[in-house]
Amino acid sequence: MEVLVIDAFADRPFAGNPAAVCLLPSMPADSLMQSIAAEMNLSETAFVAPESGGYHIRWFTPAAEVDLCGHATLAASHALWESGQVVGEEIAFRCKAGRLGARREGDLIVLDFPAKPAQECSPPKGLLESLGIESAVWIARSQYDYLVVLDSCARLSALEPNFSLLAKVQARGVIVTAPGNNPYDFVSRFFAPAVGVNEDPVTGSAHCCLAVYWSERLGKTRLSAYQASTRGGELRLDHRGERVDLAGRAVTVMRGQLQLDGV
């Protein structure tokens, strides 16, 4: 089985968010995909197989399958075009979250994802304590994650979460965001210890929520975002009602073969 490691939302190696991508003739057993993702030990491993009208895609962290993932879809799209398996300008994907799309726009790959708005809520037990803060500007819950809004980039950068405590919060992960400085409209970080990823470098699916929030607050539909992890990553966003376009670049950094004799 061929596997690629691709840095997504990056224009150079060793930046953005690395994802493993396995291009397959058909989907293997769930247990094998989970074992491969654990072996790769990246925040996501994408498994992609052709089907009528496009491709079936699934994503696994080292610990669990997830329903929606942006950076590994960007990486998978890059792999399909780079390998020559797709020659057109658009790719259709089917996943547990529904239909997704990818298209090329110059040197950008633009993903068509569902919007995931968040509804204001009270903080669940342990959320603020696990982040090491006493209060926030706004707290909400999307389909997958909690959203915590802070008042400054400085507070966001200074966060040092207690991941063992944060893992007890009942959600896929926690998005923390704050207003950005030029040229970025906003900045964010994403923590998901409950699914085996303490801090994700660049999280496309979190921006399906962030695009809705910041578009409403700033009164604009096109946004420039930066995820302020150690590796960092840039995204261009377009909020289109029930859909969000996530645009970024990708770079292949490794190709190899998984030796699965006896599995």
Side-chain angles (χ1 to χ4, degrees):
M1 183 187 295
E2 183 180 21
V3 61
L4 300 91
V5 176
I6 295 171
D7 288 342
F9 296 113
D11 58 4
R12 63 190 187 282
F14 316 128
N17 199 353
V21 178
C22 297
L23 302 179
L24 308 163
S26 61
M27 286 292 177
D30 290 8
S31 58
L32 178 57
M33 289 190 283
Q34 187 63 76
S35 294
I36 291 170
E39 184 76 10
M40 297 308 300
N41 200 33
L42 297 172
S43 60
E44 303 285 351
T45 297
F47 298 87
V48 185
E51 63 179 20
S52 177
Y55 290 85
H56 185 193
I57 186 167
R58 294 175 67 179
W59 312 275
F60 288 77
T61 77
E65 184 176 10
V66 298
D67 291 345
L68 189 66
C69 178
H71 86 279
T73 305
L74 188 78
S77 303
H78 175 81
L80 288 168
W81 275 309
E82 189 177 63
S83 68
Q85 291 194 34
V86 173
V87 295
E89 295 301 305
E90 297 187 2
I91 305 172
F93 292 105
R94 177 179 64 88
C95 69
K96 289 188 175 183
R99 296 285 177 177
L100 310 176
R103 69 180 187 272
R104 290 196 284 196
E105 188 178 297
D107 63 344
L108 290 174
I109 295 174
V110 183
L111 304 178
D112 173 18
F113 268 45
K116 296 295 180 182
Q119 302 297 321
E120 186 174 11
C121 67
S122 299
K125 181 181 179 181
L127 175 61
L128 297 181
E129 294 87 345
S130 66
L131 294 173
I133 60 176
E134 295 183 355
S135 63
V137 173
W138 201 63
I139 298 172
R141 181 71 157 81
S142 72
Q143 180 179 354
Y144 302 124
D145 309 307
Y146 281 99
L147 174 64
V148 178
V149 182
L150 301 180
D151 57 4
S152 71
C153 293
R155 286 189 71 198
L156 180 79
S157 298
L159 290 178
E160 295 183 0
N162 180 327
F163 292 116
S164 61
L165 185 59
L166 190 60
K168 298 177 182 178
V169 174
Q170 296 299 305
R172 179 190 68 164
V174 176
I175 309 164
V176 187
T177 188
N181 296 318
N182 189 48
Y184 304 113
D185 292 302
F186 67 89
V187 295
S188 67
R189 293 172 70 184
F190 183 75
F191 310 110
V195 294
V197 181
N198 281 349
E199 180 166 6
D200 197 34
V202 193
T203 315
S205 61
H207 287 79
C208 296
C209 173
L210 288 163
V212 177
Y213 175 83
W214 285 109
S215 177
E216 293 173 349
R217 297 310 183 278
L218 299 177
K220 56 195 292 190
T221 57
R222 173 159 288 191
L223 300 158
S224 179
Y226 183 73
Q227 191 154 330
S229 64
T230 301
R231 292 171 66 101
E234 298 180 350
L235 304 90
R236 192 196 75 191
L237 309 172
D238 287 279
H239 180 213
R240 301 183 291 104
E242 295 184 352
R243 308 293 294 182
V244 174
D245 282 351
L246 314 169
R249 298 171 177 82
V251 181
T252 301
V253 296
M254 188 182 302
R255 301 173 186 272
Q257 298 287 330
L258 289 171
Q259 304 301 315
L260 301 179
D261 295 343
V263 174

